Amino acid sequence: MLTLTSRRILRVDRDAGGDFSVPAATMSSALRLPPTELRSRLNRGEVRSQVEIGQGEHLGTFRLTLRCGGRLWTATVSADGTVIDEVFSFDRERLANWRRRHGNAG
């Protein structure tokens, strides 16, 4: 697995109900996918997301995860939507499995 860390200053949106949403430009950059490819994969339901609530010493933060094929973006986010840190991982085995299932480059 290839893992890249970066130090970009990012924010994600958070609505009045507390739900997070990642702007398309941020998602495209985070998953290292061109915008048109991201849009296509979103339309096909191939992008998955998960939110975890920080506990204990991590109280007040959230872990957001986006996964598409072998691409994985994980970010620690503060309650106001500021991305504290992020990691991009590229899992070659998962990508190979995804390619076999979808017959697509990824």
Side-chain angles (χ1 to χ4, degrees):
M1 179 181 303
L2 172 65
T3 301
L4 303 172
T5 58
S6 53
R7 289 291 206 206
R8 299 179 294 169
I9 298 174
L10 295 175
R11 293 187 53 78
V12 295
D13 299 327
R14 192 161 188 211
D15 67 21
D19 292 331
F20 289 98
S21 66
V22 179
T26 300
M27 193 181 302
S28 176
S29 175
L31 290 171
R32 284 25 178 213
L33 287 170
T36 54
E37 179 69 16
L38 173 66
R39 192 174 313 113
S40 175
R41 290 184 183 205
L42 284 167
N43 289 337
R44 292 191 309 256
E46 296 173 7
V47 179
R48 304 280 186 234
S49 64
Q50 179 178 344
V51 177
E52 299 170 82
I53 300 170
Q55 302 291 319
E57 68 183 76
H58 302 286
L59 195 62
T61 63
F62 301 84
R63 182 180 314 150
L64 306 184
T65 302
L66 297 175
R67 181 183 303 274
C68 182
R71 299 162 190 267
L72 178 73
W73 179 72
T74 303
T76 302
V77 179
S78 66
D80 72 355
T82 301
V83 174
I84 298 167
D85 62 38
E86 64 175 330
V87 175
F88 172 77
S89 301
F90 193 76
D91 186 329
R92 294 175 195 277
E93 181 178 334
R94 188 174 184 89
L95 177 60
N97 290 336
W98 183 88
R99 282 180 171 164
R100 280 193 288 279
R101 283 193 314 273
H102 293 88
N104 230 341

